[in-house]
Amino acid sequence: MLWRKALIYKESIIVALIILYASLIRTPHIRLPQVAFIDKWSHMLAYAVLGAVLAWNLIKDKRKCLWVWILGLALPIVYGGLIEILQGAFFAPRTADWWDWLADIIGTVIGTGLVAGIWQARS
């Protein structure tokens, strides 16, 4: 039973693990493009993907629309908050940043909203 669920949610699990890895590794010394708030944009993009993939997996798991919204929003938002706490507590020189978490929340709402909205419109 658990393996079946893991197979249904495999894309969500993979995206969540990639985000976890990217969030907890030491920041490599690479030059990022000179885009204002590039860090916040990357948070929003990562969590938009996570929210969208999770919403799609919930739909594939035949969840009702309300559950797609509740779980599709709540799980990534809590996940992003926990990662920020872990960064601040255990992964120096990483730091916890409320603005990063806000970007995570905005991305989650966008990704989940797009998939759930399209699904609802098609139903």
Side-chain angles (χ1 to χ4, degrees):
M1 175 83 169
L2 185 60
W3 285 108
R4 282 188 192 173
K5 291 291 182 189
L7 288 176
I8 292 171
Y9 293 94
K10 68 182 173 294
E11 296 92 352
S12 297
I13 293 167
I14 291 168
V15 172
L17 289 173
I18 290 169
I19 290 172
L20 181 68
Y21 176 76
S23 298
L24 299 181
I25 63 169
R26 289 189 142 224
T27 311
H29 295 289
I30 57 173
R31 291 183 149 218
L32 293 175
Q34 294 298 326
V35 175
F37 306 108
I38 187 75
D39 177 50
K40 305 311 176 241
W41 287 110
S42 62
H43 276 264
M44 282 179 32
L45 177 62
Y47 280 84
V49 170
L50 180 58
V53 170
L54 181 57
W56 179 249
N57 288 159
L58 287 161
I59 291 167
K60 283 192 330 189
D61 196 17
K62 299 182 179 36
R63 298 289 180 186
K64 299 289 183 207
C65 187
L66 180 63
W67 283 109
V68 172
W69 279 105
I70 292 171
L71 292 175
L73 289 172
L75 292 177
I77 289 171
V78 170
Y79 186 66
L82 289 173
I83 288 176
E84 288 303 320
I85 291 168
L86 285 173
Q87 283 179 331
F90 302 109
F91 291 92
R94 296 285 202 160
T95 59
D97 184 355
W98 287 103
W99 294 108
D100 285 351
W101 192 40
L102 180 61
D104 299 346
I105 292 168
I106 292 168
T108 298
V109 170
I110 291 169
T112 303
L114 282 173
V115 171
I118 290 169
W119 174 60
Q120 226 174 352
R122 293 180 73 194
S123 298

PDB file of all heavy atoms in Angstrom, residues 18-41:
ATOM      1  N   ILE A  18      15.051  17.147  -4.382  1.00  0.00           N
ATOM      2  CA  ILE A  18      15.942  18.078  -5.080  1.00  0.00           C
ATOM      3  C   ILE A  18      15.962  19.422  -4.350  1.00  0.00           C
ATOM      4  O   ILE A  18      17.026  20.017  -4.144  1.00  0.00           O
ATOM      5  CB  ILE A  18      15.513  18.249  -6.558  1.00  0.00           C
ATOM      6  CG1 ILE A  18      15.793  16.958  -7.329  1.00  0.00           C
ATOM      7  CG2 ILE A  18      16.222  19.444  -7.201  1.00  0.00           C
ATOM      8  CD1 ILE A  18      15.177  16.919  -8.716  1.00  0.00           C
ATOM      9  N   ILE A  19      14.789  19.885  -3.933  1.00  0.00           N
ATOM     10  CA  ILE A  19      14.716  21.143  -3.182  1.00  0.00           C
ATOM     11  C   ILE A  19      15.469  21.018  -1.868  1.00  0.00           C
ATOM     12  O   ILE A  19      16.219  21.927  -1.485  1.00  0.00           O
ATOM     13  CB  ILE A  19      13.248  21.552  -2.941  1.00  0.00           C
ATOM     14  CG1 ILE A  19      12.603  21.991  -4.258  1.00  0.00           C
ATOM     15  CG2 ILE A  19      13.148  22.658  -1.889  1.00  0.00           C
ATOM     16  CD1 ILE A  19      11.101  22.229  -4.174  1.00  0.00           C
ATOM     17  N   LEU A  20      15.299  19.911  -1.174  1.00  0.00           N
ATOM     18  CA  LEU A  20      16.002  19.701   0.097  1.00  0.00           C
ATOM     19  C   LEU A  20      17.507  19.743  -0.116  1.00  0.00           C
ATOM     20  O   LEU A  20      18.229  20.433   0.612  1.00  0.00           O
ATOM     21  CB  LEU A  20      15.584  18.372   0.729  1.00  0.00           C
ATOM     22  CG  LEU A  20      16.236  18.041   2.066  1.00  0.00           C
ATOM     23  CD1 LEU A  20      15.753  18.992   3.148  1.00  0.00           C
ATOM     24  CD2 LEU A  20      15.942  16.598   2.447  1.00  0.00           C
ATOM     25  N   TYR A  21      17.987  19.030  -1.110  1.00  0.00           N
ATOM     26  CA  TYR A  21      19.415  19.010  -1.394  1.00  0.00           C
ATOM     27  C   TYR A  21      19.934  20.412  -1.727  1.00  0.00           C
ATOM     28  O   TYR A  21      20.938  20.865  -1.164  1.00  0.00           O
ATOM     29  CB  TYR A  21      19.716  18.043  -2.549  1.00  0.00           C
ATOM     30  CG  TYR A  21      21.164  18.048  -2.959  1.00  0.00           C
ATOM     31  CD1 TYR A  21      22.117  17.401  -2.169  1.00  0.00           C
ATOM     32  CD2 TYR A  21      21.596  18.712  -4.101  1.00  0.00           C
ATOM     33  CE1 TYR A  21      23.458  17.420  -2.524  1.00  0.00           C
ATOM     34  CE2 TYR A  21      22.918  18.732  -4.463  1.00  0.00           C
ATOM     35  CZ  TYR A  21      23.848  18.090  -3.673  1.00  0.00           C
ATOM     36  OH  TYR A  21      25.172  18.107  -4.027  1.00  0.00           O
ATOM     37  N   ALA A  22      19.224  21.098  -2.622  1.00  0.00           N
ATOM     38  CA  ALA A  22      19.659  22.437  -3.027  1.00  0.00           C
ATOM     39  C   ALA A  22      19.613  23.422  -1.862  1.00  0.00           C
ATOM     40  O   ALA A  22      20.407  24.368  -1.814  1.00  0.00           O
ATOM     41  CB  ALA A  22      18.786  22.944  -4.171  1.00  0.00           C
ATOM     42  N   SER A  23      18.715  23.192  -0.924  1.00  0.00           N
ATOM     43  CA  SER A  23      18.565  24.110   0.212  1.00  0.00           C
ATOM     44  C   SER A  23      19.598  23.883   1.306  1.00  0.00           C
ATOM     45  O   SER A  23      19.878  24.797   2.079  1.00  0.00           O
ATOM     46  CB  SER A  23      17.170  23.963   0.814  1.00  0.00           C
ATOM     47  OG  SER A  23      16.186  24.306  -0.118  1.00  0.00           O
ATOM     48  N   LEU A  24      20.126  22.680   1.392  1.00  0.00           N
ATOM     49  CA  LEU A  24      21.009  22.372   2.518  1.00  0.00           C
ATOM     50  C   LEU A  24      22.482  22.258   2.165  1.00  0.00           C
ATOM     51  O   LEU A  24      23.323  22.213   3.067  1.00  0.00           O
ATOM     52  CB  LEU A  24      20.538  21.082   3.207  1.00  0.00           C
ATOM     53  CG  LEU A  24      19.122  21.129   3.792  1.00  0.00           C
ATOM     54  CD1 LEU A  24      18.790  19.810   4.476  1.00  0.00           C
ATOM     55  CD2 LEU A  24      18.935  22.296   4.740  1.00  0.00           C
ATOM     56  N   ILE A  25      22.819  22.225   0.881  1.00  0.00           N
ATOM     57  CA  ILE A  25      24.238  22.157   0.523  1.00  0.00           C
ATOM     58  C   ILE A  25      24.890  23.508   0.773  1.00  0.00           C
ATOM     59  O   ILE A  25      24.225  24.529   0.856  1.00  0.00           O
ATOM     60  CB  ILE A  25      24.457  21.735  -0.943  1.00  0.00           C
ATOM     61  CG1 ILE A  25      23.857  22.776  -1.906  1.00  0.00           C
ATOM     62  CG2 ILE A  25      23.922  20.357  -1.198  1.00  0.00           C
ATOM     63  CD1 ILE A  25      24.249  22.574  -3.351  1.00  0.00           C
ATOM     64  N   ARG A  26      26.196  23.493   0.892  1.00  0.00           N
ATOM     65  CA  ARG A  26      26.926  24.763   0.996  1.00  0.00           C
ATOM     66  C   ARG A  26      26.775  25.488  -0.314  1.00  0.00           C
ATOM     67  O   ARG A  26      26.812  24.898  -1.379  1.00  0.00           O
ATOM     68  CB  ARG A  26      28.405  24.512   1.263  1.00  0.00           C
ATOM     69  CG  ARG A  26      28.639  24.000   2.634  1.00  0.00           C
ATOM     70  CD  ARG A  26      30.109  23.985   2.938  1.00  0.00           C
ATOM     71  NE  ARG A  26      30.198  24.376   4.338  1.00  0.00           N
ATOM     72  CZ  ARG A  26      31.067  25.229   4.807  1.00  0.00           C
ATOM     73  NH1 ARG A  26      31.960  25.750   4.040  1.00  0.00           N
ATOM     74  NH2 ARG A  26      31.061  25.532   6.084  1.00  0.00           N
ATOM     75  N   THR A  27      26.615  26.760  -0.222  1.00  0.00           N
ATOM     76  CA  THR A  27      26.412  27.561  -1.421  1.00  0.00           C
ATOM     77  C   THR A  27      27.676  27.531  -2.265  1.00  0.00           C
ATOM     78  O   THR A  27      28.738  27.942  -1.803  1.00  0.00           O
ATOM     79  CB  THR A  27      26.071  29.018  -1.042  1.00  0.00           C
ATOM     80  OG1 THR A  27      25.033  29.002  -0.069  1.00  0.00           O
ATOM     81  CG2 THR A  27      25.639  29.793  -2.249  1.00  0.00           C
ATOM     82  N   PRO A  28      27.552  27.037  -3.510  1.00  0.00           N
ATOM     83  CA  PRO A  28      28.742  27.035  -4.370  1.00  0.00           C
ATOM     84  C   PRO A  28      29.089  28.463  -4.786  1.00  0.00           C
ATOM     85  O   PRO A  28      28.220  29.334  -4.843  1.00  0.00           O
ATOM     86  CB  PRO A  28      28.303  26.204  -5.580  1.00  0.00           C
ATOM     87  CG  PRO A  28      26.823  26.259  -5.581  1.00  0.00           C
ATOM     88  CD  PRO A  28      26.393  26.468  -4.162  1.00  0.00           C
ATOM     89  N   HIS A  29      30.337  28.670  -5.036  1.00  0.00           N
ATOM     90  CA  HIS A  29      30.801  30.002  -5.437  1.00  0.00           C
ATOM     91  C   HIS A  29      30.672  30.139  -6.950  1.00  0.00           C
ATOM     92  O   HIS A  29      31.650  30.034  -7.683  1.00  0.00           O
ATOM     93  CB  HIS A  29      32.241  30.239  -4.995  1.00  0.00           C
ATOM     94  CG  HIS A  29      32.380  30.275  -3.506  1.00  0.00           C
ATOM     95  ND1 HIS A  29      31.894  31.313  -2.748  1.00  0.00           N
ATOM     96  CD2 HIS A  29      32.894  29.386  -2.625  1.00  0.00           C
ATOM     97  CE1 HIS A  29      32.126  31.077  -1.464  1.00  0.00           C
ATOM     98  NE2 HIS A  29      32.736  29.908  -1.371  1.00  0.00           N
ATOM     99  N   ILE A  30      29.447  30.324  -7.375  1.00  0.00           N
ATOM    100  CA  ILE A  30      29.195  30.536  -8.793  1.00  0.00           C
ATOM    101  C   ILE A  30      28.586  31.922  -8.960  1.00  0.00           C
ATOM    102  O   ILE A  30      27.990  32.475  -8.045  1.00  0.00           O
ATOM    103  CB  ILE A  30      28.246  29.469  -9.385  1.00  0.00           C
ATOM    104  CG1 ILE A  30      26.919  29.443  -8.616  1.00  0.00           C
ATOM    105  CG2 ILE A  30      28.887  28.102  -9.367  1.00  0.00           C
ATOM    106  CD1 ILE A  30      25.870  28.553  -9.243  1.00  0.00           C
ATOM    107  N   ARG A  31      28.760  32.442 -10.127  1.00  0.00           N
ATOM    108  CA  ARG A  31      28.196  33.761 -10.407  1.00  0.00           C
ATOM    109  C   ARG A  31      26.787  33.571 -10.945  1.00  0.00           C
ATOM    110  O   ARG A  31      26.590  32.919 -11.963  1.00  0.00           O
ATOM    111  CB  ARG A  31      29.048  34.492 -11.426  1.00  0.00           C
ATOM    112  CG  ARG A  31      30.376  34.884 -10.878  1.00  0.00           C
ATOM    113  CD  ARG A  31      31.145  35.655 -11.904  1.00  0.00           C
ATOM    114  NE  ARG A  31      31.977  36.591 -11.171  1.00  0.00           N
ATOM    115  CZ  ARG A  31      32.206  37.806 -11.565  1.00  0.00           C
ATOM    116  NH1 ARG A  31      31.681  38.254 -12.668  1.00  0.00           N
ATOM    117  NH2 ARG A  31      32.970  38.590 -10.856  1.00  0.00           N
ATOM    118  N   LEU A  32      25.828  34.158 -10.248  1.00  0.00           N
ATOM    119  CA  LEU A  32      24.461  34.144 -10.724  1.00  0.00           C
ATOM    120  C   LEU A  32      24.230  35.361 -11.594  1.00  0.00           C
ATOM    121  O   LEU A  32      24.897  36.383 -11.432  1.00  0.00           O
ATOM    122  CB  LEU A  32      23.483  34.165  -9.535  1.00  0.00           C
ATOM    123  CG  LEU A  32      23.473  32.929  -8.652  1.00  0.00           C
ATOM    124  CD1 LEU A  32      22.550  33.140  -7.457  1.00  0.00           C
ATOM    125  CD2 LEU A  32      23.037  31.715  -9.439  1.00  0.00           C
ATOM    126  N   PRO A  33      23.295  35.266 -12.518  1.00  0.00           N
ATOM    127  CA  PRO A  33      22.994  36.447 -13.327  1.00  0.00           C
ATOM    128  C   PRO A  33      22.577  37.615 -12.429  1.00  0.00           C
ATOM    129  O   PRO A  33      22.002  37.414 -11.362  1.00  0.00           O
ATOM    130  CB  PRO A  33      21.821  35.999 -14.199  1.00  0.00           C
ATOM    131  CG  PRO A  33      21.821  34.511 -14.138  1.00  0.00           C
ATOM    132  CD  PRO A  33      22.465  34.127 -12.850  1.00  0.00           C
ATOM    133  N   GLN A  34      22.859  38.805 -12.881  1.00  0.00           N
ATOM    134  CA  GLN A  34      22.520  40.005 -12.110  1.00  0.00           C
ATOM    135  C   GLN A  34      21.037  40.332 -12.290  1.00  0.00           C
ATOM    136  O   GLN A  34      20.666  41.243 -12.998  1.00  0.00           O
ATOM    137  CB  GLN A  34      23.404  41.173 -12.545  1.00  0.00           C
ATOM    138  CG  GLN A  34      24.861  40.982 -12.231  1.00  0.00           C
ATOM    139  CD  GLN A  34      25.109  40.868 -10.729  1.00  0.00           C
ATOM    140  OE1 GLN A  34      24.435  41.491  -9.926  1.00  0.00           O
ATOM    141  NE2 GLN A  34      26.060  40.047 -10.361  1.00  0.00           N
ATOM    142  N   VAL A  35      20.207  39.535 -11.626  1.00  0.00           N
ATOM    143  CA  VAL A  35      18.770  39.747 -11.649  1.00  0.00           C
ATOM    144  C   VAL A  35      18.352  40.112 -10.230  1.00  0.00           C
ATOM    145  O   VAL A  35      18.779  39.461  -9.266  1.00  0.00           O
ATOM    146  CB  VAL A  35      18.025  38.461 -12.104  1.00  0.00           C
ATOM    147  CG1 VAL A  35      16.520  38.645 -12.023  1.00  0.00           C
ATOM    148  CG2 VAL A  35      18.457  38.062 -13.503  1.00  0.00           C
ATOM    149  N   ALA A  36      17.547  41.146 -10.114  1.00  0.00           N
ATOM    150  CA  ALA A  36      17.098  41.565  -8.784  1.00  0.00           C
ATOM    151  C   ALA A  36      16.341  40.421  -8.122  1.00  0.00           C
ATOM    152  O   ALA A  36      15.481  39.797  -8.743  1.00  0.00           O
ATOM    153  CB  ALA A  36      16.209  42.799  -8.902  1.00  0.00           C
ATOM    154  N   PHE A  37      16.695  40.143  -6.885  1.00  0.00           N
ATOM    155  CA  PHE A  37      16.038  39.121  -6.066  1.00  0.00           C
ATOM    156  C   PHE A  37      16.093  37.722  -6.693  1.00  0.00           C
ATOM    157  O   PHE A  37      15.140  36.949  -6.591  1.00  0.00           O
ATOM    158  CB  PHE A  37      14.581  39.511  -5.772  1.00  0.00           C
ATOM    159  CG  PHE A  37      14.439  40.872  -5.164  1.00  0.00           C
ATOM    160  CD1 PHE A  37      13.915  41.925  -5.892  1.00  0.00           C
ATOM    161  CD2 PHE A  37      14.857  41.109  -3.860  1.00  0.00           C
ATOM    162  CE1 PHE A  37      13.790  43.187  -5.338  1.00  0.00           C
ATOM    163  CE2 PHE A  37      14.737  42.368  -3.289  1.00  0.00           C
ATOM    164  CZ  PHE A  37      14.199  43.410  -4.036  1.00  0.00           C
ATOM    165  N   ILE A  38      17.189  37.373  -7.332  1.00  0.00           N
ATOM    166  CA  ILE A  38      17.319  36.067  -8.000  1.00  0.00           C
ATOM    167  C   ILE A  38      17.060  34.923  -7.027  1.00  0.00           C
ATOM    168  O   ILE A  38      16.451  33.921  -7.389  1.00  0.00           O
ATOM    169  CB  ILE A  38      18.694  35.917  -8.701  1.00  0.00           C
ATOM    170  CG1 ILE A  38      18.767  34.629  -9.531  1.00  0.00           C
ATOM    171  CG2 ILE A  38      19.833  35.914  -7.701  1.00  0.00           C
ATOM    172  CD1 ILE A  38      18.011  34.678 -10.797  1.00  0.00           C
ATOM    173  N   ASP A  39      17.492  35.080  -5.778  1.00  0.00           N
ATOM    174  CA  ASP A  39      17.277  34.039  -4.784  1.00  0.00           C
ATOM    175  C   ASP A  39      15.786  33.828  -4.535  1.00  0.00           C
ATOM    176  O   ASP A  39      15.313  32.696  -4.463  1.00  0.00           O
ATOM    177  CB  ASP A  39      17.990  34.399  -3.479  1.00  0.00           C
ATOM    178  CG  ASP A  39      17.744  33.375  -2.391  1.00  0.00           C
ATOM    179  OD1 ASP A  39      17.931  32.172  -2.662  1.00  0.00           O
ATOM    180  OD2 ASP A  39      17.346  33.768  -1.276  1.00  0.00           O
ATOM    181  N   LYS A  40      15.041  34.904  -4.431  1.00  0.00           N
ATOM    182  CA  LYS A  40      13.591  34.791  -4.173  1.00  0.00           C
ATOM    183  C   LYS A  40      12.873  34.220  -5.384  1.00  0.00           C
ATOM    184  O   LYS A  40      11.954  33.409  -5.253  1.00  0.00           O
ATOM    185  CB  LYS A  40      12.989  36.161  -3.803  1.00  0.00           C
ATOM    186  CG  LYS A  40      13.674  36.854  -2.634  1.00  0.00           C
ATOM    187  CD  LYS A  40      13.865  35.971  -1.417  1.00  0.00           C
ATOM    188  CE  LYS A  40      14.638  36.691  -0.330  1.00  0.00           C
ATOM    189  NZ  LYS A  40      15.879  36.084   0.055  1.00  0.00           N
ATOM    190  N   TRP A  41      13.291  34.622  -6.581  1.00  0.00           N
ATOM    191  CA  TRP A  41      12.701  34.073  -7.798  1.00  0.00           C
ATOM    192  C   TRP A  41      12.949  32.567  -7.885  1.00  0.00           C
ATOM    193  O   TRP A  41      12.062  31.812  -8.298  1.00  0.00           O
ATOM    194  CB  TRP A  41      13.254  34.774  -9.036  1.00  0.00           C
ATOM    195  CG  TRP A  41      12.748  36.154  -9.228  1.00  0.00           C
ATOM    196  CD1 TRP A  41      13.471  37.317  -9.086  1.00  0.00           C
ATOM    197  CD2 TRP A  41      11.419  36.560  -9.568  1.00  0.00           C
ATOM    198  NE1 TRP A  41      12.658  38.399  -9.317  1.00  0.00           N
ATOM    199  CE2 TRP A  41      11.400  37.983  -9.622  1.00  0.00           C
ATOM    200  CE3 TRP A  41      10.240  35.864  -9.832  1.00  0.00           C
ATOM    201  CZ2 TRP A  41      10.253  38.695  -9.945  1.00  0.00           C
ATOM    202  CZ3 TRP A  41       9.103  36.594 -10.138  1.00  0.00           C
ATOM    203  CH2 TRP A  41       9.112  37.983 -10.203  1.00  0.00           C
TER     204      TRP A  41
END
